[in-house]
Amino acid sequence: MDLKYLHTFRTIIDEGSFSKAAKKLNYTQSTITFQIGQLEQELSARLFEKIGRRMVLTKAGEHLIPYVDEVLDSVKKLHCFEQDLMACQGELFMGVGETLLCYKLPSILKEFHRQAPKARLFIRSMNCYEIRDELLKGTLDLGLFYENVGGFGTGLNIRSMGEFPVVLVASPRVKKAFPDFRTPDREIPLPFVINEPNCIFRQMFESYLREKSIRLDHTIELWSIPTIKNLVKNDMGISFLPEFTVREELERGELEVIRTDMGHPSISAVCACHKNKWVSPLMRLFMDLCNILV
């Protein structure tokens, strides 16, 4: 979500109209309208409605205000934090799930290095169970992983990074040949192309297959999400992946979603540290960026 859309929304509230907000921000009114339209699309809610000649807040818009204020306040705190960059030095040891590392972390790292250029990051791509265990041992400073690991007691401090849908995908050709993953007790002559056995979303889909008594031909086990996608795009089987990892391929028509009876499966990402670990300015900066930029 683009922060400038939230800033525009707050300015409209403060100034009382789209036209006054445009003047305040030095935008055209069409730009204001576009940005609010994008925000409404991302939130799947109407924030303003036209009554007479005026645009007034909807109930959804009213409810959004405190959330926007909280985000913008956090951004202000981060800007103030730039004045004390000398505190943001040292080393940070992190374990990150591969999908988060590939698709969610780059924007965070870019901003982190801008704000703390003297920091040294040591990042390991790890599965979620390893990250949880290493955090509990105290050998990692921070972990970015999926909390669907079956619990971690009270030993960790957790910050949510959001909930993300997971989808079953195949090439258009494979989907046309094998569109049914709902009928139980059947064999489907396709390989399952996926990450290692402790992969959270692999476990979710394999559990679904067992419940449905659906048997696939075999499993192709890989450690690289881009390689998994390339095989599936080239008719080599199916995969079950977080939607954000295949969004571009879905938009281009290179992959398609196959419906299941799983409802709306999702995974929840978190940024965590040991509850007894001192949260350094470096750690706090990174955790704050995870909240804002994911």
Side-chain angles (χ1 to χ4, degrees):
M1 182 177 293
D2 197 322
L3 285 175
K4 68 173 176 278
Y5 299 161
L6 301 183
H7 183 57
T8 296
F9 174 80
R10 181 70 251 190
T11 304
I12 294 171
I13 305 304
D14 293 340
E15 297 298 316
S17 71
F18 279 44
S19 59
K20 290 180 180 179
K23 185 177 181 179
K24 174 81 172 180
L25 297 171
N26 199 26
Y27 289 156
T28 64
Q29 190 158 340
S30 61
T31 298
I32 297 288
T33 302
F34 171 79
Q35 291 184 2
I36 294 302
Q38 292 295 107
L39 183 60
E40 289 179 331
Q41 184 175 338
E42 291 194 38
L43 297 175
S44 299
R46 289 291 303 276
L47 303 178
F48 294 92
E49 57 186 355
K50 193 169 186 178
I51 297 180
R53 293 185 176 183
R54 297 180 62 247
M55 296 294 289
V56 298
L57 273 174
T58 63
K59 287 294 182 183
E62 293 176 0
H63 291 155
L64 181 63
I65 291 174
Y67 296 99
V68 171
D69 289 344
E70 183 177 351
V71 171
L72 295 180
D73 184 56
S74 295
V75 173
K76 289 178 182 177
K77 291 177 182 178
L78 286 178
H79 288 320
C80 293
F81 196 55
E82 289 179 337
Q83 300 171 8
D84 191 24
L85 282 183
M86 291 302 293
C88 286
Q89 297 186 39
E91 298 177 343
L92 196 58
F93 293 86
M94 299 175 53
V96 186
E98 192 204 358
T99 51
L100 295 171
L101 179 60
C102 289
Y103 298 95
K104 294 296 183 182
L105 203 58
S107 62
I108 297 172
L109 291 177
K110 180 179 179 180
E111 182 62 18
F112 179 81
H113 281 297
R114 187 186 73 81
Q115 296 197 36
K118 295 182 179 181
R120 299 180 67 200
L121 276 180
F122 296 87
I123 302 173
R124 293 168 55 196
S125 178
M126 306 167 65
N127 76 56
C128 296
Y129 294 96
E130 290 176 336
I131 295 171
R132 176 198 61 186
D133 294 344
E134 293 299 314
L135 285 171
L136 289 171
K137 291 177 185 176
T139 54
L140 291 175
D141 294 317
L142 289 175
L144 276 65
F145 63 108
Y146 298 114
E147 66 176 340
N148 310 65
V149 290
F152 25 73
T154 59
L156 301 181
N157 288 329
I158 300 295
R159 287 200 187 185
S160 174
M161 294 175 61
E163 191 167 342
F164 305 101
V166 191
V167 290
L168 179 63
V169 293
S171 67
R173 181 178 177 183
V174 168
K175 178 181 178 180
K176 185 176 180 180
F178 303 99
D180 183 8
F181 275 75
R182 292 177 168 178
T183 303
D185 196 22
R186 57 200 299 263
E187 293 187 8
I188 301 175
L190 283 174
F192 183 30
V193 189
I194 197 63
N195 215 316
E196 45 88 28
N198 281 333
C199 167
I200 295 296
F201 33 92
R202 171 177 176 170
Q203 293 176 345
M204 291 170 62
F205 189 64
E206 287 178 337
S207 176
Y208 171 76
L209 293 177
R210 288 192 295 270
E211 291 173 5
K212 283 286 191 177
S213 296
I214 296 175
R215 296 168 296 283
L216 298 178
D217 190 76
H218 64 285
T219 298
I220 299 175
E221 187 176 298
L222 300 167
W223 279 84
S224 166
I225 298 298
T227 303
I228 289 171
K229 293 195 297 181
N230 281 333
L231 289 185
V232 176
K233 284 192 297 184
N234 286 282
D235 308 326
M236 286 295 293
I238 60 165
S239 193
F240 189 68
L241 296 168
E243 188 269 342
F244 64 78
T245 68
V246 292
R247 188 170 298 149
E248 292 183 3
E249 289 79 7
L250 292 172
E251 291 174 352
R252 292 195 296 261
E254 297 170 341
L255 293 174
E256 294 185 2
V257 174
I258 298 179
R259 302 300 176 191
T260 69
D261 285 335
M262 298 179 72
H264 301 284
S266 63
I267 46 179
S268 300
V270 296
C271 180
C273 64
H274 195 283
K275 70 173 185 178
N276 294 330
K277 182 176 283 291
W278 174 65
V279 179
S280 67
L282 205 59
M283 291 171 62
R284 184 170 291 109
L285 171 62
F286 198 94
M287 296 174 79
D288 287 343
L289 290 174
C290 286
N291 280 359
I292 292 172
L293 296 180
V294 171

